[in-house]
Amino acid sequence: MRENTEMLDRYLGDLFRKRGYPGMAVCIRGPEGILFDRGYGFRNMEKKQKVDGDTVFGIASMSKSMTALACCILEAEGKMSLEDPVAAYFPDFHIPGIADECVTVKMLAMHRAGIPPMEPLEWSIAKNSKERDSYWYREMLRTAPNQMDQISQIIDYITAGNYEPLGAPGEYMSYSNEGYAVLSYIVDQAAGIPLEQFLKERIFEPLGMARTVLDLDGSEAAVLAEGNITSLFERDEDGSLIWDDNWSVLPPFRGCACVKSTAHDMTRYYQMLSDHGKWEGRQVVPEAAVERMYGMEYPTRKKTFYCLGLEKSLIAGKVMCEHSGGLHGVSTQGGFLEGGYAVTVLCNEGDLGMDEFQWACYNWILGLPLEQMHYWALPSGKKFSRPEMLEGDYLAKEGLPVHCTVTLEDGKLAAVYNERKLQLLYSSESVFVGVDATDPEKRVNTFEFYIKNGMAWGVKCGSRIYQRVNETREKV
């Protein structure tokens, strides 16, 4: 692989420039050490400060695996159990219509507690961060019931039950930031110290992650970075690049999205996980904790399965575990392949997909064509037998309400998803691939429908389940 670093560098650099991103750091680490280490672009608008492997970025939802690992370490040490009911830590926590004993710590960590997409995370960002004026910002301020800066406010909102749960706990996976907010505070109680201190003492320091910290506003990260920290970039309405240094502040969601780190540090973390808790020959994390996190109790298959803070799947016959992240000025992806190979891609423009960069790195490790994609769902060329079961309007209330409206047009399924017109191409079972209606080569998302009594009651768009609404919206 070392002989082909120039090929990978050229491929990633060309792709980076084609996409027009401001800055990106890529690191690949193997059993021999760092195999690939490149920075592309810049960390400030003046383009005077280049990105490198030690540049501090936000990692957003990549933080979740660290919170999950903290739970697993505490379980391995007998200080808690993943089978504990959440109500044992928060007696006021309830999900409507579900017995408290059935909603466990593990169900939160696997996004299987039955909590649908909901608003508190985006309310918390709007109420506690420095934000540009926008329709989203004004709506979040208008609709937020309180400051959303205390975990009790999130628990009260979940317990109020102004939503329909997604089946029984364990039945369906639907991504829930609120669940991981609660997990952060469960760690506080079980460990007897704040999650921030636990991660520092038990993970960051033993791994030599000297530029990694869980902090809310980036102030501690800036000190650790010693000047090598990125600004945060977004696109204006006209597509032009704008920037600021205002980190998203979302106090109750600490272990959900608030870690700041570097490409070098994150590959240390992922390589430790791939080596069952060992780092440089030392057992720095209990092997039982890592096994509990993504091990044999979870299926190994091409279709991704969300374990505890990591998505597990197979590519080219190798086990891969990874997670992505996205916030203001943050787009990230990181993970590992069996055999001790860790990959991290960190970008300083918000809410982009890093799949193509991450997969190019995996392909390089595996000796595959760099452009090869690894989607688990692909169009089959076949037709779905009962398309009328899927027609309808589906809704997720995560921040601004987002609809997925499915219609049957000339015998073919189409959708308007996040105001974008799509074709739905059948894959298998009740799974479809959504492609841009005007450019079928552009894949947008995977759509998995859940059918009961002759009608789909929900559709999973990527990792979130949208529920059917009764009202008929005007077709777009």
Side-chain angles (χ1 to χ4, degrees):
M1 289 182 291
R2 290 183 183 273
E3 302 80 43
N4 295 320
T5 54
E6 289 185 8
M7 177 180 66
L8 179 60
D9 185 25
R10 187 166 52 252
Y11 179 85
L12 294 177
D14 289 346
L15 189 57
F16 171 80
R17 286 183 287 274
K18 181 180 179 181
R19 297 290 178 256
Y21 301 156
M24 185 175 72
V26 180
C27 185
I28 304 175
R29 193 182 293 268
E32 316 93 313
I34 290 179
L35 302 176
F36 184 87
D37 177 21
R38 296 289 189 279
Y40 302 94
F42 300 87
R43 49 190 168 93
N44 66 341
M45 185 63 94
E46 291 78 19
K47 299 184 178 181
K48 294 179 180 179
Q49 297 173 309
K50 293 184 178 181
V51 166
D52 61 34
D54 287 323
T55 300
V56 173
F57 292 76
I59 68 167
S61 288
M62 284 167 63
S63 308
K64 288 182 171 68
S65 73
M66 297 172 176
T67 301
L69 179 58
C71 292
C72 294
I73 293 171
L74 290 165
E75 180 183 65
E77 296 176 347
K79 296 177 181 177
M80 66 174 289
S81 169
L82 291 171
E83 311 307 331
D84 287 341
V86 175
Y89 299 91
F90 290 100
D92 292 335
F93 180 94
H94 311 288
I95 293 178
I98 297 175
D100 290 346
E101 293 81 0
C102 298
V103 186
T104 64
V105 173
K106 185 178 180 182
M107 292 299 99
L108 289 185
M110 295 179 70
H111 301 293
R112 288 178 174 267
I115 302 172
M118 55 177 55
E119 304 94 335
L121 178 135
E122 302 221 8
W123 281 336
S124 186
I125 292 173
K127 295 288 285 187
N128 297 287
S129 309
K130 294 180 181 178
E131 293 287 336
R132 291 183 297 114
D133 184 53
S134 66
Y135 176 70
W136 168 83
Y137 179 58
R138 293 191 296 273
E139 280 299 289
M140 294 302 97
L141 293 183
R142 183 183 68 82
T143 57
N146 51 54
Q147 192 66 21
M148 279 293 162
D149 60 352
Q150 303 292 324
I151 190 61
S152 60
Q153 295 163 341
I154 296 176
I155 289 172
D156 288 347
Y157 189 78
I158 293 171
T159 298
N162 298 317
Y163 58 91
E164 183 69 28
L166 303 171
E171 191 172 3
Y172 300 104
M173 181 272 171
S174 183
Y175 201 85
S176 172
N177 287 302
E178 289 69 29
Y180 266 81
V182 176
L183 281 181
S184 303
Y185 291 83
I186 289 176
V187 172
D188 292 349
Q189 295 182 49
I193 57 176
L195 172 64
E196 290 84 347
Q197 182 181 348
F198 187 87
L199 294 182
K200 178 181 178 181
E201 294 178 358
R202 301 301 302 275
I203 298 175
F204 302 157
E205 289 181 345
L207 290 173
M209 298 171 68
R211 290 174 178 260
T212 302
V213 65
L214 169 54
D215 74 342
L216 290 180
D217 62 2
S219 57
E220 293 180 65
V223 173
L224 294 179
E226 299 177 317
N228 191 0
I229 187 168
T230 185
S231 292
L232 306 169
F233 294 82
E234 299 287 348
R235 297 283 166 178
D236 208 347
E237 292 180 359
D238 63 1
S240 60
L241 204 59
I242 56 176
W243 69 279
D244 58 46
D245 294 313
N246 302 324
W247 295 91
S248 295
V249 178
L250 48 166
F253 294 86
R254 307 142 59 216
C256 173
C258 296
V259 172
K260 284 78 177 175
S261 188
T262 71
H264 285 169
D265 278 6
M266 288 307 300
T267 53
R268 286 172 175 252
Y269 171 72
Y270 286 120
Q271 190 177 58
M272 175 275 295
L273 291 179
S274 74
D275 201 18
H276 310 287
K278 290 183 179 179
W279 173 251
E280 295 183 337
R282 296 178 297 114
Q283 194 76 46
V284 298
V285 168
E287 184 174 2
V290 178
E291 173 65 23
R292 187 72 151 131
M293 190 178 184
Y294 70 86
M296 294 294 291
E297 66 180 284
Y298 310 106
T300 301
R301 63 191 191 190
K302 187 174 181 181
K303 181 179 180 180
T304 56
F305 185 89
Y306 200 100
C307 307
L308 303 182
L310 290 170
E311 284 191 324
K312 180 180 180 182
S313 62
L314 280 174
I315 64 169
K318 299 288 186 180
V319 174
M320 173 185 71
C321 291
E322 63 177 5
H323 209 291
S324 59
L327 275 175
H328 168 56
V330 177
S331 294
T332 64
Q333 195 154 335
F336 60 88
L337 283 174
E338 66 173 291
Y341 295 97
V343 177
T344 299
V345 179
L346 305 177
C347 180
N348 55 10
E349 182 178 342
D351 293 318
L352 305 169
M354 293 290 106
D355 281 354
E356 55 189 346
F357 295 94
Q358 185 85 359
W359 287 347
C361 294
Y362 292 145
N363 291 336
W364 182 74
I365 294 167
L366 295 167
L368 300 173
L370 296 180
E371 69 277 6
Q372 184 168 328
M373 297 297 181
H374 297 283
Y375 298 113
W376 64 266
L378 297 171
S380 65
K382 300 178 181 178
K383 291 185 177 181
F384 186 65
S385 62
R386 299 293 300 276
E388 70 279 2
M389 291 181 174
L390 313 183
E391 284 192 283
D393 185 25
Y394 306 85
L395 174 64
K397 295 180 179 179
E398 192 171 15
L400 294 176
V402 180
H403 289 263
C404 179
T405 305
V406 179
T407 56
L408 193 57
E409 300 177 3
D410 299 325
K412 296 180 180 180
L413 281 167
V416 177
Y417 168 63
N418 203 12
E419 307 303 325
R420 187 174 182 178
K421 189 75 177 287
L422 308 180
Q423 296 180 43
L424 295 183
L425 307 180
Y426 180 59
S427 177
S428 63
E429 298 178 345
S430 59
V431 177
F432 293 76
V433 176
V435 299
D436 190 284
T438 59
D439 184 0
E441 295 300 314
K442 286 186 179 179
R443 182 184 179 118
V444 177
N445 215 333
T446 302
F447 298 82
E448 183 171 8
F449 291 86
Y450 300 104
I451 301 171
K452 186 176 181 180
N453 298 326
M455 180 181 292
W457 62 266
V459 57
K460 183 186 284 187
C461 306
S463 61
R464 290 157 169 83
I465 294 180
Y466 291 38
Q467 292 169 286
R468 180 184 286 275
V469 292
N470 293 325
E471 297 83 6
T472 302
R473 300 174 76 232
E474 183 180 352
K475 294 183 180 179
V476 178

